Amino acid sequence: MNELKPVRFVDVALEGQFWRERLETVLTHTIPSQHVQLGKHGILESLTLPEPPPPLRFPRNQHNFTVQVFWDSDVGKWIEAASYALSHRRDADVEAKIEAIIDDLEKAQAPDGYLNCWYLQREPDKRWTNLRDNHELYNLGHLLEGAIAYFLATGRRRLLDILERYVEHVRETFGPNPGQKRGYCGHQEIELALVKLYRLTGARKHLDLAAYFINERGSQPHYFDQEAIARGEKPKDFWAKSYEYNQSHKPVREQTKVVGHAVRAMYMFSAMADLAAELDDKSLKRTCEVLWSDVISSKIYITSGLGPAAANEGFTEDYDLPNDTAYAETCASVALIFWAQRMLHLDLDGRYADVMEQALFNGALTGLSRDGEHYFYSNPLDSDGRHSRWAWHTCPCCTMNASRLIASVGGYFVSASNDTVAFHLYGGISTTVTAAGTKVFLRETSAYPFSGSVKIEIGPESPTEFTVKLRVPGWAKGVSASINGEPVDVKAAVTNGYLSITRSWRAGDSIELDLPMPAERVYAHPAVKENVGRVALKRGPLVYCVEEVDNPGGRVQQLQLPRNAEVAVKSRGDLFDGIVTLTASAERVEAKDWANNLYRTTPPARIESELTALPYYLWNNRGGCSMQVWICEA
Amino acid sequence: MNELKPVRFVDVALEGQFWRERLETVLTHTIPSQHVQLGKHGILESLTLPEPPPPLRFPRNQHNFTVQVFWDSDVGKWIEAASYALSHRRDADVEAKIEAIIDDLEKAQAPDGYLNCWYLQREPDKRWTNLRDNHELYNLGHLLEGAIAYFLATGRRRLLDILERYVEHVRETFGPNPGQKRGYCGHQEIELALVKLYRLTGARKHLDLAAYFINERGSQPHYFDQEAIARGEKPKDFWAKSYEYNQSHKPVREQTKVVGHAVRAMYMFSAMADLAAELDDKSLKRTCEVLWSDVISSKIYITSGLGPAAANEGFTEDYDLPNDTAYAETCASVALIFWAQRMLHLDLDGRYADVMEQALFNGALTGLSRDGEHYFYSNPLDSDGRHSRWAWHTCPCCTMNASRLIASVGGYFVSASNDTVAFHLYGGISTTVTAAGTKVFLRETSAYPFSGSVKIEIGPESPTEFTVKLRVPGWAKGVSASINGEPVDVKAAVTNGYLSITRSWRAGDSIELDLPMPAERVYAHPAVKENVGRVALKRGPLVYCVEEVDNPGGRVQQLQLPRNAEVAVKSRGDLFDGIVTLTASAERVEAKDWANNLYRTTPPARIESELTALPYYLWNNRGGCSMQVWICEA
């Protein structure tokens, strides 16, 4: 092992309170309640191919599309999340539920291996006729990821066998040879699942199939054109108007701007980074870097939300980042974490880890409520109180993206290679790796993300030389570190965002890293028109927001933060098991003397007020009320 | 004639440059080009009921609806606008085009009088089965308004006869008697058309039918429920979810909040005000007053735009007035003018005239381009440059609302009764009225809306005592006036927004009214969350905006106006045949030193800059670029 690879989540014990609480909530509440919802909404029943098919729960829309075509994927994602949970602790009840699903899938599978419950039940003669819209390979991808996770958690391979048969069918169906379809999925996902299957099995053919789908995408004649014609439709009648929607507007290596549906883009870029690594494909790596720069420099919310527009669930223009209408689908932030982790393992550069962390704390975590049973699909940065978490969704993709991420979050903390161990995230974990042939117990202790005081204990079985790399976040200023109490010259030791220490380590060694976490004011690029004159508050990796419940007296949008007001850091043991809030003297524009006027020529009165901000990921856990990230500066 | 009635537009000569230009543009460019568009888009052809029916130009949406059901109304509105044009000057070519349409309508009309080209051609057995959605009576209303206008312009009554036959059929079909339908239209409009027909013919039955539709609306059992059941649908499957959408959620007299589709609401309120006047219906008048207060105090944009949301083309919550996503359909502002004029004639109160004027200059006028051939449907108050005028629209309702309003704008200036003449608007007109039995020539001269120096010449055939009322706009401060050079005590003479002078007038008398027009800063109620920390600029009746073409150097949203900066008034003969702009020293947040950063902890640099604002109604006439009404205060 020459290159850094993530240490798998099963090998990382979450010991810090922050992540233990989230993990426990997901294990205890989210996974079981999601199974209940899958049942309640007819998704589990659909696997039994009931005859006659029940009426559609979600009638086809004007584009003849229904979200029911991707119900299989919801099942796959739930199996994946539940299997990650099983990796933490086995649970006979959950396993029985998964086995029941596998029974259904086994019965449903066609003799030739094909397995898509929508088509098998409702349109058996229309298989593979609408890859553009109907998520057929996407469904397989998610089922496959579920099967791999279940196999790794339990050693049971029945579901994996079923899916491998299906993959073989797909391999026969798609490819450049006569009689094969030169197609690929309208919603990318199968590609990264196939890379996972390759990594599990070592079978190169899976990698090749993933590469085929990526390389074929956007080539001419365009597959979705031909497919539409074959259906008797005009290609130009595609509802999304442009193949930018699914990133097939041109071959992937010619793409330089991030466009279209955000989740599709992020899944595709994740697969591209996977393939760049596995195939040492430099052009694919370079493409990923160009696209990364594009999204990070002009298309990402401060919360790491991606895709401002509901119309295409995706990207629009550079700097188009409206706050209250932000779509910023939870899935897109989760998928950004996937992509960032992969980029980080192409090049150990803290820029990628910074985004991964930002997306984790401010994008993905926000998607799951404190009680573990309510969700955000879209993630606005400004609300008048009408935006609330829901218990389920027409399109429940985000629910299981939140649970599968959190149930496997330990896998994003540490990476190891022959001679190096690298810490990307902090928050209290322990693990054992092999470095330079020696087993090394590692423990990281901190109250991260609320404190930047991090202690790393390093316990090799015997004294051994290797390198420890500690991420120094891009937001951290005035960082100090010491080894066994001896100060380290941080400036000299940091490269690409990682403090790197090579020495002979022995049991009892420890590193202390201090990442100061003052409250910070953050400003957006002046081209983000909504944020001119506005400021956001951050501390450490956390983006803050003001929520009306902490700031009574009217909508929080009436608060203005004077440019010179000091923002104080306050520990609040009484809130959410202990968090840190930010407070400042503020001004509130006052409505009392407005009578029935909507407009007037005298400015509103300003009254002195206090402002309390809490981490954005926690908003809307105490009822509906107004919320704002970007605060008017006075 | 005891009560003030508007002097008809045909009796008011527009002499001022401002309105002459708009009228000439509409006569020369708008009316002819609209006929071309009606032809090009298949709307004229649809009147011939071609067999077999051509494929739908606009396929049915997921709610099984197509805008083609209200194509008849577009024809009706064009005839109305074109007839107003004919009232200004006859035009054989236009008349031939209208006659050709009448030929088609005559042939299309069913033996029983029914005349709806959609149903006659495509669903002949489904007449009157979906009043909720399909605009059947709405179409009649617009055709009827067209017929009345054409009759008044030309004396030709063939179209009026056709429509009167149709009205008779409607009268037989709808009503409280056995065998009649107790229905009313989902899109209100027929009601105000019937009042017009009553006023033209004196036939009380038309007024009664209008009152029937208004009084029946929202009563239980709900007609739209019953109608849906009769179609085999579940009433609760109504796509808009609530009958608030079409203001039939409760009987009209029980309505206290303005809800739902904005244009429907405004047309309905206009009809209610008409009926309140004609029937001396105090409860209807009181309802209008309550609804007026509601919309004016919390639901109207500073531009007079109505209805923030695209989803229902209408109203949402109090103070929900987003700028860049504002729907604010042009039609709604036009219809607000109708309503305001009717309220003004229930009570001569300048508050109504203020809104009428505001809607005229900032809402309705904005809908029509300088060239007279491009339109706005929605009217945002903030754009990054992507919002542009279009040459036609899927739903072309706004195009003919703009043209029919401007072609008849003279009708909003002056009202007269036995003993009083009242001026509501200024801008250069002349007319002759009869006051106290004497013919009185009146001429108002001004460069309004750019100057508030107004001169009124009063020329009775013989010296006569009567009252002259001059509106003193709510925005005007420090107003002065004189009669034949003798100062008037304005404060003492103004009641309800009108300066009232009763005396014996003789030829050669004149009044001078000076309405100072400094630049003004306007603030929104603090509950309008988008506008906290922002200011709008106004001068006289005009709302101003900053447009990038006048403010080069990046998006105008980067401009900030210091709180203490003086806003100067500047005559610009070089722009749009002469307008007044507003200028001020401003700051521009600068993007030059941002490199590829999207966020950073140091505030953006501010550079000194100049800000130039132009009247909002003129924006987007010089290409696409950024625009903003509410400017950040620094």
Side-chain angles (χ1 to χ4, degrees):
Chain A
M1 185 171 68
N2 293 316
E3 284 167 4
L4 282 171
K5 302 278 183 207
V7 177
R8 280 204 68 223
F9 76 95
V10 289
D11 298 323
V12 175
L14 296 178
E15 298 180 339
Q17 190 238 330
F18 185 90
W19 286 110
R20 279 233 54 88
E21 184 280 329
R22 287 287 76 192
L23 179 66
E24 196 57 38
T25 298
V26 166
L27 265 54
T28 314
H29 294 280
T30 312
I31 305 284
S33 69
Q34 287 177 342
H35 188 269
V36 171
Q37 296 281 10
L38 289 169
K40 201 161 124 185
H41 290 85
I43 298 176
L44 294 178
E45 189 200 10
S46 76
L47 305 176
T48 66
L49 315 186
E51 281 299 337
L56 292 185
R57 296 252 182 162
F58 301 102
R60 290 174 184 273
N61 68 14
Q62 72 218 83
H63 311 302
N64 203 32
F65 179 77
T66 166
V67 293
Q68 292 190 208
V69 298
F70 54 79
W71 275 2
D72 287 0
S73 76
D74 298 319
V75 174
K77 273 153 88 178
W78 182 77
I79 293 174
E80 185 185 351
S83 299
Y84 294 158
L86 295 176
S87 294
H88 290 284
R89 56 174 182 246
R90 300 291 291 264
D91 180 325
D93 181 51
V94 168
E95 290 172 47
K97 289 185 165 96
I98 295 175
E99 287 294 325
I101 290 171
I102 299 172
D103 290 343
D104 290 336
L105 291 171
E106 198 167 44
K107 279 180 217 143
Q109 188 165 37
D112 62 1
Y114 181 84
L115 176 51
N116 177 297
C117 295
W118 169 270
Y119 277 104
L120 288 169
Q121 179 182 32
R122 296 182 187 263
E123 303 184 288
D125 53 343
K126 291 196 178 166
R127 286 186 197 183
W128 309 128
T129 58
N130 190 350
L131 296 179
R132 187 190 72 190
D133 298 334
N134 283 347
H135 295 64
E136 235 162 332
L137 291 166
Y138 167 91
N139 285 330
L140 164 55
H142 276 303
L143 283 169
L144 185 54
E145 287 198 89
I148 293 169
Y150 188 60
F151 169 70
L152 289 172
T154 64
R156 298 203 193 109
R157 53 174 306 131
R158 186 164 61 120
L159 182 57
L160 190 59
D161 289 342
I162 291 169
L163 272 299
E164 286 199 292
R165 282 198 294 278
Y166 188 10
V167 169
E168 287 317 306
H169 173 72
V170 166
R171 193 190 325 288
E172 286 160 20
T173 306
F174 292 92
N177 302 316
Q180 286 185 305
K181 294 176 189 294
R182 299 188 68 116
Y184 41 85
C185 194
H187 197 315
Q188 306 92 315
E189 146 64 22
I190 179 75
E191 298 84 355
L192 66 87
L194 286 169
V195 175
K196 281 192 182 180
L197 184 60
Y198 159 69
R199 286 176 180 157
L200 180 76
T201 62
R204 167 79 190 210
K205 60 183 179 178
H206 301 309
L207 195 63
D208 291 342
L209 186 56
Y212 176 77
F213 287 137
I214 289 293
N215 293 333
E216 192 65 26
R217 196 169 199 89
S219 61
Q220 291 294 344
H222 202 289
Y223 186 75
F224 297 153
D225 281 354
Q226 301 178 299
E227 189 195 57
I229 293 164
R231 286 196 304 273
E233 297 168 11
K234 290 180 192 150
K236 74 170 179 53
D237 289 344
F238 177 37
W239 71 270
K241 303 295 177 205
S242 162
Y243 291 140
E244 288 193 354
Y245 175 71
N246 53 36
Q247 296 84 32
S248 70
H249 55 300
K250 49 173 92 164
V252 298
R253 285 174 186 76
E254 294 171 25
Q255 298 187 23
T256 57
K257 300 291 279 181
V258 175
V259 295
H261 188 277
V263 181
R264 294 171 202 236
M266 294 300 122
Y267 284 169
M268 179 171 86
F269 302 157
S270 298
M272 285 161 58
D274 273 341
L275 292 169
E278 296 295 349
L279 300 170
D280 194 23
D281 184 326
K282 292 202 170 40
S283 67
L284 219 40
K285 181 179 179 220
R286 180 69 198 132
T287 302
C288 285
E289 289 165 347
V290 168
L291 294 167
W292 180 273
S293 289
D294 183 55
V295 77
I296 298 306
S297 66
S298 65
K299 295 190 180 75
I300 186 168
Y301 284 97
I302 190 173
T303 54
S304 91
L306 295 175
N312 66 345
E313 301 195 302
F315 297 100
T316 55
E317 311 281 315
D318 289 356
Y319 305 112
D320 181 27
L321 296 163
N323 292 312
D324 56 358
T325 59
Y327 198 73
E329 183 179 339
T330 301
C331 286
S333 291
V334 170
L336 174 60
I337 295 170
F338 301 159
W339 185 28
Q341 190 195 32
R342 285 159 173 81
M343 295 303 286
L344 184 62
H345 288 83
L346 285 174
D347 281 316
L348 189 75
D349 188 325
R351 291 183 303 130
Y352 299 123
D354 285 351
V355 170
M356 184 173 84
E357 178 178 86
Q358 169 192 335
L360 179 61
F361 283 113
N362 307 297
L365 265 191
T366 312
L368 185 66
S369 66
R370 196 69 182 163
D371 69 10
E373 300 184 16
H374 294 82
Y375 308 88
F376 275 138
Y377 189 105
S378 62
N379 290 279
L381 286 78
D382 177 299
S383 168
D384 58 10
R386 283 180 288 168
H387 190 80
S388 281
R389 296 172 183 278
W390 33 268
W392 199 245
H393 198 275
T394 314
C395 171
C397 51
C398 297
T399 62
M400 266 84 66
N401 254 336
S403 56
R404 69 182 180 134
L405 177 76
I406 293 171
S408 62
V409 74
Y412 296 86
F413 278 70
V414 191
S415 298
S417 70
N418 267 350
D419 56 3
T420 302
V421 56
F423 287 79
H424 312 301
L425 301 177
Y426 306 110
I429 58 108
S430 68
T431 188
T432 298
V433 300
T434 302
T438 303
K439 271 201 168 174
V440 184
F441 174 77
L442 298 162
R443 168 169 282 144
E444 177 267 316
T445 313
S446 69
Y448 205 88
F450 294 117
S451 159
S453 291
V454 174
K455 185 178 178 185
I456 313 277
E457 295 165 64
I458 298 157
E461 282 189 338
S462 58
T464 312
E465 185 174 311
F466 57 92
T467 300
V468 174
K469 287 176 181 278
L470 303 183
R471 173 170 159 261
V472 175
W475 49 259
K477 295 175 190 84
V479 175
S480 60
S482 62
I483 301 175
N484 302 329
E486 290 293 313
V488 172
D489 180 349
V490 171
K491 205 167 173 186
V494 171
T495 313
N496 288 336
Y498 282 79
L499 176 73
S500 183
I501 303 158
T502 306
R503 54 176 266 163
S504 179
W505 298 96
R506 59 179 61 232
D509 279 352
S510 71
I511 313 174
E512 299 205 7
L513 177 68
D514 186 51
L515 307 169
M517 285 189 179
E520 289 189 296
R521 288 180 186 236
V522 181
Y523 302 87
H525 189 286
V528 182
K529 68 186 177 73
E530 287 78 5
N531 297 342
V532 171
R534 293 182 182 269
V535 64
L537 299 177
K538 264 193 82 180
R539 181 172 177 268
L542 299 177
V543 173
Y544 278 68
C545 69
V546 284
E547 198 178 11
E548 193 173 327
V549 60
D550 301 309
N551 298 275
R555 284 187 176 153
V556 292
Q557 285 83 0
Q558 290 173 227
L559 289 169
Q560 293 191 292
L561 182 61
R563 289 184 197 173
N564 57 3
E566 199 193 332
V567 182
V569 171
K570 200 165 174 181
S571 271
R572 286 289 297 270
D574 57 321
L575 279 179
F576 299 109
D577 302 333
I579 62 167
V580 171
T581 61
L582 303 179
T583 61
S585 293
E587 293 177 358
R588 182 184 283 277
V589 293
E590 178 59 58
K592 279 185 187 140
D593 61 343
W594 278 72
N596 281 328
N597 296 310
L598 184 50
Y599 303 103
R600 71 182 200 190
T601 53
T602 42
R606 290 157 193 277
I607 53 167
E608 279 193 28
S609 182
E610 184 85 359
L611 171 157
T612 295
L614 96 159
Y616 175 73
Y617 76 86
L618 285 169
W619 87 278
N620 198 246
N621 274 301
R622 294 168 291 170
C625 64
S626 61
M627 181 282 298
Q628 189 170 42
V629 170
W630 290 97
I631 305 159
C632 228
E633 267 195 337
Chain B
M1 184 170 69
N2 292 316
E3 284 166 4
L4 281 171
K5 302 278 183 206
V7 177
R8 280 203 68 220
F9 75 95
V10 289
D11 299 322
V12 175
L14 296 179
E15 299 179 340
Q17 190 239 329
F18 186 90
W19 285 110
R20 278 234 54 89
E21 184 280 330
R22 286 287 77 192
L23 178 66
E24 195 56 37
T25 298
V26 165
L27 266 51
T28 314
H29 295 281
T30 312
I31 304 286
S33 69
Q34 288 177 343
H35 188 270
V36 171
Q37 296 282 9
L38 289 169
K40 200 162 124 185
H41 290 85
I43 299 177
L44 293 178
E45 190 200 9
S46 76
L47 305 176
T48 65
L49 315 186
E51 279 301 335
L56 292 185
R57 296 252 182 162
F58 301 102
R60 290 173 182 274
N61 68 13
Q62 71 217 84
H63 312 302
N64 202 33
F65 180 77
T66 168
V67 293
Q68 292 190 206
V69 299
F70 54 79
W71 275 2
D72 287 1
S73 75
D74 298 318
V75 174
K77 272 154 89 178
W78 182 78
I79 293 174
E80 185 185 352
S83 299
Y84 294 158
L86 295 176
S87 294
H88 292 284
R89 55 174 182 246
R90 299 292 290 265
D91 180 326
D93 181 51
V94 168
E95 290 172 47
K97 289 184 166 96
I98 295 175
E99 288 294 323
I101 290 171
I102 299 172
D103 289 344
D104 290 336
L105 290 171
E106 197 167 44
K107 279 180 216 144
Q109 187 164 38
D112 62 2
Y114 181 84
L115 176 50
N116 178 297
C117 294
W118 168 270
Y119 277 104
L120 287 169
Q121 178 182 33
R122 296 185 187 262
E123 305 185 284
D125 53 344
K126 291 196 177 166
R127 285 185 198 185
W128 309 128
T129 59
N130 190 349
L131 296 180
R132 187 190 72 190
D133 298 333
N134 283 347
H135 295 64
E136 234 162 332
L137 292 166
Y138 167 89
N139 285 330
L140 165 55
H142 276 304
L143 283 170
L144 185 54
E145 286 198 90
I148 294 169
Y150 188 60
F151 169 71
L152 290 172
T154 65
R156 296 201 194 110
R157 52 174 308 131
R158 184 163 63 119
L159 181 57
L160 191 59
D161 289 342
I162 291 169
L163 272 298
E164 285 199 292
R165 282 198 293 277
Y166 188 9
V167 169
E168 287 317 307
H169 173 72
V170 166
R171 192 189 326 286
E172 285 159 21
T173 306
F174 292 92
N177 301 317
Q180 286 185 305
K181 295 177 189 293
R182 299 188 67 116
Y184 41 85
C185 194
H187 196 315
Q188 306 92 315
E189 145 64 22
I190 180 75
E191 298 85 354
L192 66 85
L194 286 168
V195 174
K196 281 192 180 178
L197 185 60
Y198 159 70
R199 286 175 179 158
L200 179 76
T201 63
R204 167 81 191 208
K205 59 184 179 179
H206 301 310
L207 195 63
D208 291 342
L209 185 57
Y212 175 76
F213 286 137
I214 289 292
N215 293 334
E216 192 65 25
R217 196 169 199 88
S219 62
Q220 292 293 344
H222 202 288
Y223 186 77
F224 296 153
D225 281 354
Q226 300 179 298
E227 188 195 57
I229 292 163
R231 286 195 305 272
E233 297 168 14
K234 290 179 191 151
K236 74 170 178 54
D237 288 344
F238 177 37
W239 71 270
K241 302 297 178 206
S242 161
Y243 291 140
E244 286 192 354
Y245 175 71
N246 53 37
Q247 296 85 32
S248 70
H249 55 301
K250 48 175 91 164
V252 299
R253 286 173 186 77
E254 294 172 25
Q255 299 187 23
T256 57
K257 302 289 279 181
V258 176
V259 295
H261 189 274
V263 181
R264 293 170 204 237
M266 294 302 122
Y267 283 169
M268 180 171 85
F269 303 156
S270 298
M272 285 161 58
D274 274 339
L275 291 169
E278 296 296 348
L279 300 169
D280 194 24
D281 184 326
K282 294 205 169 36
S283 67
L284 218 41
K285 181 180 179 217
R286 179 71 197 131
T287 300
C288 285
E289 289 164 348
V290 167
L291 294 167
W292 180 272
S293 289
D294 182 55
V295 77
I296 298 306
S297 65
S298 64
K299 295 189 180 75
I300 187 168
Y301 285 97
I302 188 173
T303 54
S304 91
L306 295 175
N312 65 345
E313 301 195 302
F315 297 98
T316 55
E317 312 280 315
D318 288 355
Y319 304 112
D320 181 28
L321 295 163
N323 292 312
D324 56 358
T325 58
Y327 198 72
E329 184 179 339
T330 302
C331 287
S333 291
V334 171
L336 173 61
I337 295 170
F338 300 159
W339 186 27
Q341 190 195 31
R342 285 158 172 81
M343 294 304 285
L344 184 63
H345 289 84
L346 285 173
D347 281 315
L348 189 74
D349 188 326
R351 291 183 304 128
Y352 299 123
D354 285 350
V355 169
M356 183 172 84
E357 177 179 84
Q358 169 192 335
L360 179 61
F361 283 112
N362 307 296
L365 265 192
T366 313
L368 184 66
S369 66
R370 196 67 184 164
D371 70 10
E373 300 186 15
H374 294 83
Y375 309 88
F376 277 138
Y377 189 104
S378 63
N379 289 280
L381 286 78
D382 176 300
S383 167
D384 59 10
R386 285 181 287 167
H387 190 81
S388 280
R389 298 173 183 276
W390 33 268
W392 198 245
H393 198 276
T394 312
C395 171
C397 51
C398 296
T399 62
M400 265 83 67
N401 253 335
S403 55
R404 70 182 178 134
L405 177 75
I406 294 171
S408 62
V409 73
Y412 296 86
F413 278 69
V414 191
S415 299
S417 70
N418 266 352
D419 56 2
T420 302
V421 55
F423 286 80
H424 313 300
L425 301 176
Y426 307 110
I429 57 108
S430 68
T431 188
T432 299
V433 300
T434 303
T438 303
K439 271 201 170 175
V440 184
F441 174 77
L442 299 163
R443 166 169 284 145
E444 178 266 318
T445 311
S446 69
Y448 205 89
F450 295 116
S451 159
S453 291
V454 174
K455 184 176 179 184
I456 312 277
E457 296 165 64
I458 298 157
E461 283 189 339
S462 57
T464 313
E465 184 174 309
F466 56 93
T467 301
V468 173
K469 287 175 183 275
L470 303 183
R471 173 170 158 260
V472 175
W475 49 260
K477 295 176 191 85
V479 175
S480 60
S482 62
I483 301 175
N484 302 330
E486 291 293 313
V488 173
D489 180 350
V490 171
K491 207 168 171 184
V494 171
T495 313
N496 289 334
Y498 282 78
L499 176 73
S500 185
I501 304 158
T502 305
R503 53 178 264 164
S504 177
W505 298 95
R506 59 180 61 232
D509 280 351
S510 71
I511 313 175
E512 297 204 10
L513 177 67
D514 186 51
L515 307 168
M517 286 190 177
E520 288 190 296
R521 289 181 185 236
V522 181
Y523 301 87
H525 188 286
V528 182
K529 70 187 176 73
E530 287 78 7
N531 297 343
V532 171
R534 292 181 182 270
V535 63
L537 299 178
K538 265 193 80 180
R539 179 171 178 269
L542 298 177
V543 174
Y544 278 68
C545 69
V546 284
E547 196 177 13
E548 194 173 328
V549 60
D550 302 308
N551 298 274
R555 285 186 176 155
V556 292
Q557 285 83 1
Q558 291 172 226
L559 290 168
Q560 294 191 292
L561 182 60
R563 289 185 197 172
N564 57 4
E566 199 193 333
V567 182
V569 171
K570 200 164 170 180
S571 271
R572 287 286 299 270
D574 58 319
L575 280 178
F576 299 108
D577 302 333
I579 62 167
V580 171
T581 61
L582 302 180
T583 62
S585 293
E587 293 176 0
R588 182 184 282 278
V589 293
E590 177 58 59
K592 277 186 189 142
D593 61 343
W594 277 72
N596 281 328
N597 296 310
L598 185 50
Y599 303 103
R600 71 181 199 190
T601 52
T602 41
R606 288 156 195 279
I607 54 168
E608 281 192 27
S609 183
E610 185 84 359
L611 171 157
T612 297
L614 94 160
Y616 175 74
Y617 77 86
L618 285 169
W619 87 277
N620 197 246
N621 275 301
R622 293 167 293 170
C625 64
S626 60
M627 180 283 297
Q628 189 171 41
V629 170
W630 290 98
I631 305 159
C632 226
E633 268 195 335

